[in-house]
Amino acid sequence: MFSGKPMKPTFKCYLPPLQTDVKTTIEPPIKKLEPKLLPGEIVVNEVNFVRKCISAESSQDDLWGKLICTNFKVSFIPQDVPAKQKFQLSHLLLGEHDIPLTCLEQVVTVNDTKGKKKVLGSNQKLKFNPTELILYCKDLRIIRFCFDEAGPESAKKVCLAIAHYSHPADLHLLFGFEYQGRRYHESKEERVNGSISRRGLQTPIFDRPSDWDREIKRTGASEWRVCSINESYATSPSLPEFIVVPVSLADQDLKRYSLFFADNRIPLWCWNHPNGSALVRMASIIDPIQQRKIEQRVLTAITKSHPQQSDVLKSDLDKCLPNLQDIQSAFVKVRQICVIDPFEESEERWLSSIENSRWLEHVRAFLRHAAEIVYCLDVKNASVILQEEEDRDLNCVVSSLVQLMLDPHYRSLIGFQSLVQKEWVMAGHRFLDRCNHLKKNDKEESPLFMLFLDCVWQMMNQYPAAFEFTEAYLTVLSDSMWIPLFSSFLFNSPKQRAQHLKDFAKNKAIPQGEDQVVYFPPVWDWSQQFSTKDQTLFNNPMYVGKGAACVQNGEVKTFRRTKKTYSSTLRGTPASLRNGLRGGEDTLTRRGSLVSELKPDFSPVKDESPSERFFRDWFSQPADQQGLLIPLLMPSHMALWKLFFLRWVPEACIPKGGPMTAYHKLSQLVDEIEILQSKLRQYKGPSPGSTPIPSPSGPPSDQRRMYFKASSPNDPPTPPDFLTSSFPFTPMGNLCRRSIHGTPISKFLNGARIWLSTETLANDTV
């Protein structure tokens, strides 16, 4: 078929053609390369003799094998399976070389011989035979396949199949609907009396009044109640069926008021402060004539719900925060800088390019605004309404951040998941449109949830002991948006979710009345994706939370949060005695603050506002990890989330380096402490004079919380070889840009300004 190549044997072989400098030998038959398919998954096209590029520098590490397109993923099956990296995160539903179709951002075909390149969409024709396929992924991977030895027609067909199946015509064509239907019927043995329970799912879904009742009770919101006027989505299609409203508002009044709000979205309660102030989110009032009247009635009802009848403050987020297009534009720029542009091309201006993308500026703007809302709730003792035109985008970010700063419950793993479920999933964030799962409208796409996760990471980075979960958990959560097997991130609203799942149940012969959480589960059941062992990567060894153990004066004690307001005890401390200093002895604060932008020396001044004084005083004291947390907000305090943005970049991968080396040592230390605690609890001495009978070992390995187990005296003192700054991910084969020919000297001769003075560079604009 190909000139200059030896003839292929008559049996089907998956080895690449033998090179001319290698002696021809008779090889034993190779076992057939078959993909691992999930229930309901089918192969739609495949091509053999494909080369997966591992490095842009050379092809010696490249893998040969079969490229397959299914109705769920793009899968590459290596002919010679390389040794799996030890301790690499292993997904139960996806292989090491698999990419979900919903994760594909662009499918690009290239023909180097003809110098042609085309971005493929659905139902498009390809007029040339591709020599290369480049897949740009939404999780920032760039995967390259070469068809040097593959049949040209087969290569063309698999490229077209990938492009077609990554652009589903309708939501119900996403693979999750087929998979979950098969999974439901194949799990009959788990059923009890014909029904499956929620299997101990600890995260509340907020699709039942009881979930909201528990939240009301937990936050002490005694003047608020669960309302069911939206049952069966009778009032608003984008609100949950059950919402929390002031006790003073009757259902009939709420129904009448709803007509004046965008999408009939009546104000939605989010959270209550122990001092009685409430956080409420609200859509805009669409009738300008009735606006003042309706707004006043809502404000009056919220005022009545406060024990001191305090005033209600309103914050219009559309006027003071970046819009969706700004956020999308910034994300595209930072992605371009981090993973698409060759590092050697941008190295000399890399940090300024990150700054000019404005991504960190937007992250900072949302954190800053959330901190200002925290001040109103915590110090001014005022209820706050967050207003946005549709109440489905910016409000999700700010309301979540405010609660994260004020309430330590949301900094636990289950609490954080309930926060996302409550303020994003059930509050009607348009995940389908913002993630652009169907690739129908790029103008609607915006990475708001990614922005929120970055804001959370900034707080974790500053207060590492305050969060029960790790940055690996946040990264895995962001990746889960692109796996269409769970109900959490597939829909635009609770009503859309309920309607599609109702139709799905009917089509799949699922009994009427069966729990939707059971037959199409949310993402929060992590056992669907990861083993118990891998889930321990979510556990933060430094977490100081309710029930966390600590050592004081040589005695193991358990941390308990006292009943007090979430803020620190600043109000009760005389100004002259704060931080142990008398008036006139005040020094620089220990940490920067919001006020630092206005007062660089951090010292008190005569015209200091109450909010500036509060932030200065708060930052002057050690932070209570189980109390109020306010992030540092100077531009220099905002850092790039490296594990997310740079995990696939080979140049940024540090062997035996990065934050993971500290995580490794801390995990081992915590595991050792927990083993000792377990042995102490199992001590069986009946009297002080008896011989201790300790347990020979700690808890079973599969019940231990830490991923890395306590080290033995024989273990080497250095970090293990597999540990890198990208752990538990690997750049190997996940970011392979097309090779760029040229050296710094050639670029200089071509007019690139590289070796210029720092003064000249400072005056340059990117």
Side-chain angles (χ1 to χ4, degrees), residues 249-281:
L249 282 179
D251 284 2
Q252 58 187 16
D253 293 331
L254 289 167
K255 287 180 181 178
R256 193 167 68 252
Y257 298 160
S258 70
L259 301 174
F260 300 103
F261 287 94
D263 205 27
N264 301 112
R265 287 179 67 96
I266 55 178
L268 185 63
W269 174 87
C270 302
W271 184 79
N272 242 60
H273 194 287
N275 65 23
S277 57
L279 180 67
V280 180
R281 51 191 289 178

Side-chain angles (χ1 to χ4, degrees), residues 405-554:
M405 292 178 189
L406 283 165
D407 193 340
H409 168 69
Y410 294 126
R411 302 196 285 265
S412 68
L413 181 63
I414 297 299
F416 181 76
Q417 293 181 168
S418 71
L419 179 68
V420 174
Q421 183 69 26
K422 176 168 67 83
E423 297 298 328
W424 291 81
V425 180
M426 297 309 289
H429 179 64
R430 300 176 185 271
F431 279 107
L432 181 64
D433 291 343
R434 300 296 176 246
C435 296
N436 202 11
H437 286 317
L438 303 183
K439 300 177 178 66
K440 285 186 175 179
N441 192 347
D442 292 345
K443 292 181 180 179
E444 292 289 324
E445 187 172 355
S446 188
L448 276 164
F449 190 65
M450 184 58 236
L451 177 91
F452 165 65
L453 294 182
D454 201 330
C455 290
V456 176
W457 179 83
Q458 301 290 339
M459 292 184 64
M460 289 173 62
N461 191 41
Q462 295 180 23
Y463 301 103
F467 294 82
E468 186 180 15
F469 45 89
T470 61
E471 63 172 329
Y473 165 80
L474 291 181
T475 310
V476 165
L477 181 59
S478 73
D479 291 345
S480 297
M481 283 194 291
W482 316 120
I483 303 175
L485 305 180
F486 318 108
S487 62
S488 304
F489 306 134
L490 281 188
F491 304 98
N492 277 336
S493 67
K495 182 179 181 180
Q496 187 186 48
R497 178 182 300 102
Q499 187 60 55
H500 272 82
L501 296 191
K502 183 180 178 182
D503 296 342
F504 159 73
K506 185 177 180 181
N507 293 336
K508 299 298 180 184
I510 295 173
Q512 191 174 1
E514 181 64 275
D515 189 353
Q516 291 182 348
V517 172
V518 169
Y519 63 74
F520 209 123
V523 73
W524 313 125
D525 181 6
W526 292 106
S527 64
Q528 298 174 95
Q529 298 190 60
F530 302 103
S531 66
T532 304
K533 162 76 173 173
D534 280 350
Q535 287 179 63
T536 58
L537 280 167
F538 299 168
N539 298 331
N540 177 11
M542 290 183 284
Y543 178 56
V544 180
K546 189 175 181 181
C550 60
V551 178
Q552 292 181 355
N553 300 324

Side-chain angles (χ1 to χ4, degrees), residues 5 293 349 412 436 574 620 663 692 698 709 733:
K5 302 289 188 210
K293 176 183 174 184
R349 296 181 179 181
S412 68
N436 202 11
S620 71
Y663 176 83
K709 308 307 182 212

Side-chain angles (χ1 to χ4, degrees), residues 57-95:
E57 304 302 322
S58 71
S59 60
Q60 67 180 42
D61 295 324
D62 291 355
L63 299 175
W64 289 85
K66 179 192 282 189
L67 181 63
I68 293 172
C69 175
T70 76
N71 55 341
F72 168 47
K73 63 179 182 273
V74 177
S75 185
F76 177 76
I77 309 169
Q79 172 185 283
D80 297 317
V81 182
K84 189 171 176 64
Q85 183 185 347
K86 190 180 179 185
F87 292 109
Q88 185 180 328
L89 189 66
S90 181
H91 204 286
L92 299 179
L93 303 175
L94 290 165

Side-chain angles (χ1 to χ4, degrees), residues 2-18:
F2 301 99
S3 61
K5 302 289 188 210
M7 289 182 64
K8 292 180 182 176
T10 54
F11 62 87
K12 199 170 186 181
C13 174
Y14 293 94
L15 284 169
L18 296 173

Side-chain angles (χ1 to χ4, degrees), residues 45-50 67 109 120 126 128-133 146-162:
N45 222 301
E46 61 183 49
V47 58
N48 290 302
F49 308 111
V50 175
L67 181 63
T109 50
L120 290 180
L126 190 56
F128 58 85
N129 291 328
T131 59
E132 192 173 316
L133 171 67
C146 291
F147 303 121
D148 320 62
E149 312 297 341
E153 281 302 315
S154 297
K156 180 190 287 189
K157 285 179 181 178
V158 83
C159 291
L160 291 170
I162 291 170

Side-chain angles (χ1 to χ4, degrees), residues 198-209:
R198 292 196 172 187
R199 294 191 296 171
L201 185 67
Q202 296 180 345
T203 303
I205 303 301
F206 293 100
D207 59 347
R208 298 173 174 178

